[in-house]
Amino acid sequence: MIYVAIAETDCDYMEYLKKLLLQWADKKTEVKISVFLNGKALAGHLPYVYDIVFVDLSPDQPDGILAVRKLRDMGYQNLLILIADSVSRACEGYRVNAYRYYVKPVRGEDIRECMDYALVQKNRKYFQYTYHGVTKRIEFDSIICFEIIDHYIDIYTTNSTVHIKGALKEVQEQCPSYFHRCHRSCIVNMERVLVKGGRQLKLENGKTVDIAPRYLEAVTNAMEQLADE
Protein backbone atom coordinates (compact mmCIF):
# COMPACT_ATOMS: atom_id res chain seq x y z
CA MET A 1 0.00 0.00 0.00
CA ILE A 2 1.31 3.43 -1.00
CA TYR A 3 -0.30 6.43 0.72
CA VAL A 4 -0.60 9.46 -1.56
CA ALA A 5 -1.79 13.01 -0.87
CA ILE A 6 -2.69 15.59 -3.53
CA ALA A 7 -3.19 19.30 -2.78
CA GLU A 8 -4.68 20.87 -5.93
CA THR A 9 -7.27 23.62 -6.38
CA ASP A 10 -8.24 22.65 -9.94
CA CYS A 11 -10.68 19.74 -9.55
CA ASP A 12 -10.27 18.67 -13.17
CA TYR A 13 -6.50 18.55 -12.83
CA MET A 14 -6.84 16.69 -9.53
CA GLU A 15 -8.89 14.02 -11.32
CA TYR A 16 -6.23 13.90 -14.04
CA LEU A 17 -3.53 13.21 -11.44
CA LYS A 18 -5.69 10.57 -9.75
CA LYS A 19 -6.22 8.86 -13.10
CA LEU A 20 -2.45 8.70 -13.73
CA LEU A 21 -1.82 7.36 -10.22
CA LEU A 22 -4.46 4.65 -10.57
CA GLN A 23 -3.06 3.64 -13.96
CA TRP A 24 0.34 3.17 -12.32
CA ALA A 25 -1.18 1.29 -9.36
CA ASP A 26 -3.03 -1.13 -11.65
CA LYS A 27 0.29 -2.74 -12.59
CA LYS A 28 2.24 -2.19 -9.36
CA THR A 29 0.48 -2.08 -5.98
CA GLU A 30 -2.54 -0.71 -4.14
CA VAL A 31 -2.69 3.03 -3.49
CA LYS A 32 -4.73 5.13 -1.07
CA ILE A 33 -5.21 8.66 -2.40
CA SER A 34 -6.27 11.57 -0.19
CA VAL A 35 -7.19 14.83 -1.92
CA PHE A 36 -7.18 18.40 -0.58
CA LEU A 37 -8.29 21.61 -2.28
CA ASN A 38 -5.32 23.57 -0.97
CA GLY A 39 -2.09 23.27 0.98
CA LYS A 40 -3.63 24.66 4.15
CA ALA A 41 -6.19 21.83 4.24
CA LEU A 42 -3.41 19.29 3.73
CA ALA A 43 -1.26 20.70 6.52
CA GLY A 44 -4.21 20.83 8.91
CA HIS A 45 -5.43 17.30 8.24
CA LEU A 46 -2.65 14.71 7.95
CA PRO A 47 -4.54 11.57 9.03
CA TYR A 48 -1.81 9.44 7.48
CA VAL A 49 1.93 9.65 7.17
CA TYR A 50 2.03 9.82 3.39
CA ASP A 51 4.65 8.05 1.32
CA ILE A 52 4.43 10.74 -1.36
CA VAL A 53 2.76 14.17 -1.49
CA PHE A 54 1.91 16.19 -4.62
CA VAL A 55 1.46 19.93 -3.95
CA ASP A 56 0.31 22.58 -6.42
CA LEU A 57 2.34 25.82 -6.27
CA SER A 58 0.33 27.70 -8.89
CA PRO A 59 -0.55 31.39 -8.27
CA ASP A 60 -3.97 30.44 -6.87
CA GLN A 61 -2.22 28.22 -4.27
CA PRO A 62 -0.54 30.86 -2.05
CA ASP A 63 -0.30 28.52 0.94
CA GLY A 64 1.17 25.57 -0.97
CA ILE A 65 4.79 26.22 -0.03
CA LEU A 66 3.75 27.05 3.55
CA ALA A 67 2.10 23.63 3.81
CA VAL A 68 5.25 21.97 2.49
CA ARG A 69 7.40 23.78 5.04
CA LYS A 70 5.04 22.70 7.82
CA LEU A 71 5.31 19.09 6.69
CA ARG A 72 9.08 19.28 6.91
CA ASP A 73 8.95 21.06 10.29
CA MET A 74 6.76 18.24 11.61
CA GLY A 75 9.40 15.70 10.64
CA TYR A 76 7.95 14.48 7.32
CA GLN A 77 10.89 12.99 5.41
CA ASN A 78 9.16 11.19 2.55
CA LEU A 79 8.76 12.32 -1.05
CA LEU A 80 7.51 15.79 -1.99
CA ILE A 81 6.51 16.49 -5.58
CA LEU A 82 5.88 20.15 -6.41
CA ILE A 83 3.75 21.12 -9.42
CA ALA A 84 3.45 24.65 -10.83
CA ASP A 85 2.50 26.62 -13.94
CA SER A 86 6.08 27.77 -14.53
CA VAL A 87 9.68 27.24 -13.38
CA SER A 88 9.63 30.49 -11.37
CA ARG A 89 9.24 28.74 -7.99
CA ALA A 90 11.76 25.96 -8.56
CA CYS A 91 14.22 27.41 -6.03
CA GLU A 92 11.61 26.98 -3.29
CA GLY A 93 11.55 23.30 -4.14
CA TYR A 94 15.25 22.99 -3.43
CA ARG A 95 14.82 24.68 -0.05
CA VAL A 96 12.32 22.05 1.10
CA ASN A 97 14.23 19.14 -0.47
CA ALA A 98 11.53 18.29 -3.01
CA TYR A 99 12.16 15.07 -4.94
CA ARG A 100 10.81 16.55 -8.19
CA TYR A 101 9.48 19.90 -9.49
CA TYR A 102 7.19 19.67 -12.50
CA VAL A 103 5.64 22.27 -14.75
CA LYS A 104 2.07 21.47 -15.80
CA PRO A 105 0.97 19.33 -17.48
CA VAL A 106 2.56 16.42 -15.60
CA ARG A 107 3.12 13.45 -17.88
CA GLY A 108 2.28 9.83 -17.19
CA GLU A 109 5.97 8.93 -17.34
CA ASP A 110 6.66 11.54 -14.63
CA ILE A 111 4.11 9.92 -12.33
CA ARG A 112 5.52 6.46 -13.05
CA GLU A 113 9.05 7.57 -12.20
CA CYS A 114 7.97 9.17 -8.90
CA MET A 115 5.75 6.28 -7.85
CA ASP A 116 8.32 3.64 -8.76
CA TYR A 117 10.82 5.43 -6.54
CA ALA A 118 8.26 5.74 -3.72
CA LEU A 119 7.63 2.00 -3.91
CA VAL A 120 11.34 1.22 -3.81
CA GLN A 121 11.76 3.49 -0.79
CA LYS A 122 8.89 1.82 1.05
CA ASN A 123 10.10 -1.70 0.28
CA ARG A 124 13.75 -1.07 1.10
CA LYS A 125 14.93 -4.03 3.18
CA TYR A 126 18.42 -3.26 4.50
CA PHE A 127 20.27 -0.52 6.34
CA GLN A 128 23.83 -0.39 5.04
CA TYR A 129 26.79 1.14 6.87
CA THR A 130 30.58 1.16 6.71
CA TYR A 131 32.66 1.22 9.89
CA HIS A 132 36.42 0.69 10.21
CA GLY A 133 36.54 -0.08 6.49
CA VAL A 134 33.99 -2.90 6.66
CA THR A 135 30.56 -2.58 4.98
CA LYS A 136 27.65 -4.46 6.53
CA ARG A 137 23.86 -4.62 6.24
CA ILE A 138 21.05 -5.00 8.79
CA GLU A 139 17.44 -5.79 7.92
CA PHE A 140 15.25 -2.77 8.68
CA ASP A 141 12.53 -5.03 10.08
CA SER A 142 14.92 -6.20 12.81
CA ILE A 143 15.88 -2.65 13.86
CA ILE A 144 14.02 -1.19 16.84
CA CYS A 145 15.59 2.27 16.84
CA PHE A 146 18.66 4.38 16.14
CA GLU A 147 20.05 6.63 18.87
CA ILE A 148 22.95 9.06 18.55
CA ILE A 149 25.22 10.13 21.40
CA ASP A 150 28.33 12.26 20.78
CA HIS A 151 28.60 11.45 17.04
CA TYR A 152 28.20 7.71 17.64
CA ILE A 153 25.01 5.84 16.75
CA ASP A 154 23.65 2.85 18.63
CA ILE A 155 21.49 0.61 16.43
CA TYR A 156 19.17 -1.37 18.68
CA THR A 157 17.96 -4.55 16.99
CA THR A 158 15.82 -7.45 18.14
CA ASN A 159 18.89 -9.44 19.19
CA SER A 160 21.83 -7.05 19.63
CA THR A 161 23.13 -3.48 19.70
CA VAL A 162 25.47 -2.25 16.97
CA HIS A 163 27.75 0.76 17.63
CA ILE A 164 28.84 2.88 14.64
CA LYS A 165 30.03 6.41 13.90
CA GLY A 166 27.82 8.64 11.77
CA ALA A 167 25.12 11.29 11.47
CA LEU A 168 21.45 10.65 12.18
CA LYS A 169 20.45 12.68 9.11
CA GLU A 170 22.32 10.23 6.88
CA VAL A 171 20.63 7.32 8.64
CA GLN A 172 17.20 8.86 8.10
CA GLU A 173 17.82 9.21 4.37
CA GLN A 174 18.12 5.42 4.14
CA CYS A 175 15.14 4.56 6.32
CA PRO A 176 11.78 3.42 4.90
CA SER A 177 8.65 5.42 5.67
CA TYR A 178 7.68 3.51 8.82
CA PHE A 179 10.76 4.86 10.63
CA HIS A 180 10.14 8.20 12.33
CA ARG A 181 12.27 10.74 14.10
CA CYS A 182 11.00 11.31 17.63
CA HIS A 183 13.56 13.91 18.69
CA ARG A 184 16.94 15.14 17.52
CA SER A 185 18.79 12.07 18.80
CA CYS A 186 16.45 9.16 18.00
CA ILE A 187 14.72 7.47 15.03
CA VAL A 188 12.20 4.74 15.83
CA ASN A 189 10.78 1.82 13.85
CA MET A 190 7.08 2.47 14.46
CA GLU A 191 6.30 -1.21 13.90
CA ARG A 192 8.39 -1.98 17.01
CA VAL A 193 6.44 0.39 19.30
CA LEU A 194 4.40 -1.35 22.01
CA VAL A 195 2.67 1.65 23.58
CA LYS A 196 2.39 5.40 23.04
CA GLY A 197 1.52 7.29 26.20
CA GLY A 198 1.39 11.07 26.02
CA ARG A 199 4.77 12.15 24.69
CA GLN A 200 6.58 8.85 25.19
CA LEU A 201 6.96 5.61 23.25
CA LYS A 202 7.67 2.25 24.85
CA LEU A 203 9.60 -0.01 22.47
CA GLU A 204 9.80 -3.79 22.18
CA ASN A 205 13.19 -3.91 23.92
CA GLY A 206 11.79 -2.09 26.98
CA LYS A 207 13.40 1.22 26.04
CA THR A 208 11.34 4.38 26.57
CA VAL A 209 11.75 7.23 24.07
CA ASP A 210 10.55 10.82 24.50
CA ILE A 211 8.74 12.57 21.63
CA ALA A 212 9.76 16.19 21.00
CA PRO A 213 6.82 18.58 20.43
CA ARG A 214 7.75 19.26 16.79
CA TYR A 215 7.47 15.52 15.95
CA LEU A 216 4.42 14.68 18.08
CA GLU A 217 1.77 15.04 15.37
CA ALA A 218 3.71 13.02 12.77
CA VAL A 219 4.40 10.23 15.28
CA THR A 220 0.76 10.17 16.39
CA ASN A 221 -0.41 9.96 12.78
CA ALA A 222 2.03 7.11 12.14
CA MET A 223 0.57 5.17 15.08
CA GLU A 224 -2.94 5.72 13.71
CA GLN A 225 -1.89 4.54 10.27
CA LEU A 226 -0.43 1.30 11.64
CA ALA A 227 -3.62 0.72 13.63
CA ASP A 228 -5.69 1.15 10.45
CA GLU A 229 -3.54 -1.41 8.63
Side-chain angles (χ1 to χ4, degrees):
M1 172 78 77
I2 299 290
Y3 290 88
V4 182
I6 303 172
E8 169 65 62
T9 54
D10 186 330
C11 293
D12 289 337
Y13 201 79
M14 182 185 290
E15 290 301 318
Y16 169 71
L17 290 176
K18 287 173 63 179
K19 179 181 177 181
L20 294 179
L21 288 165
L22 292 173
Q23 287 174 349
W24 173 87
D26 187 52
K27 298 179 180 179
K28 297 286 185 173
T29 189
E30 188 177 357
V31 297
K32 181 177 178 64
I33 304 172
S34 299
V35 296
F36 304 89
L37 290 177
N38 53 59
K40 185 177 181 180
L42 166 65
H45 191 67
L46 294 178
Y48 296 102
V49 179
Y50 299 107
D51 298 298
I52 185 166
V53 173
F54 294 84
V55 180
D56 178 23
L57 296 186
S58 299
D60 55 353
Q61 271 278 37
D63 51 7
I65 197 64
L66 297 179
V68 168
R69 289 172 184 161
K70 182 176 180 181
L71 286 173
R72 289 305 195 206
D73 287 344
M74 291 169 57
Y76 178 80
Q77 296 295 326
N78 295 336
L79 301 182
L80 286 172
I81 311 300
L82 304 184
I83 303 171
D85 292 331
S86 71
V87 298
S88 62
R89 304 188 72 178
C91 287
E92 293 178 276
Y94 288 108
R95 295 190 188 105
V96 294
N97 194 28
Y99 176 65
R100 290 288 185 269
Y101 181 101
Y102 292 121
V103 176
K104 292 180 178 180
V106 177
R107 302 169 299 172
E109 61 197 74
D110 298 327
I111 294 294
R112 289 194 295 273
E113 191 269 337
C114 291
M115 295 303 292
D116 284 347
Y117 186 70
L119 185 60
V120 168
Q121 289 292 98
K122 185 144 191 174
N123 292 337
R124 184 177 287 171
K125 292 186 64 177
Y126 295 97
F127 172 72
Q128 182 170 299
Y129 66 94
T130 301
Y131 192 48
H132 293 318
V134 179
T135 299
K136 296 183 179 181
R137 300 195 303 173
I138 305 173
E139 283 193 18
F140 277 112
D141 285 349
S142 71
I143 297 173
I144 298 173
C145 70
F146 298 89
E147 186 173 37
I148 189 166
I149 301 174
D150 296 330
H151 305 294
Y152 285 89
I153 297 171
D154 286 330
I155 307 172
Y156 294 91
T157 74
T158 52
N159 54 27
S160 66
T161 302
V162 179
H163 192 66
I164 65 172
K165 190 171 184 178
L168 212 57
K169 181 179 179 181
E170 295 172 358
V171 168
Q172 191 161 16
E173 289 173 353
Q174 280 200 56
C175 288
S177 60
Y178 55 90
F179 277 74
H180 279 269
R181 197 152 187 165
C182 294
H183 55 74
R184 61 185 179 84
S185 63
C186 191
I187 298 172
V188 169
N189 178 351
M190 299 304 296
E191 296 182 351
R192 296 289 181 179
V193 175
L194 293 179
V195 179
K196 175 185 174 294
R199 284 169 49 184
Q200 285 191 329
L201 298 176
K202 185 173 182 180
L203 310 182
E204 282 186 3
N205 60 353
K207 186 176 179 63
T208 299
V209 176
D210 292 329
I211 309 170
R214 66 179 297 187
Y215 301 118
L216 182 60
E217 186 173 358
V219 170
T220 300
N221 289 331
M223 293 290 291
E224 292 175 356
Q225 177 182 330
L226 289 172
D228 287 342
E229 293 178 351

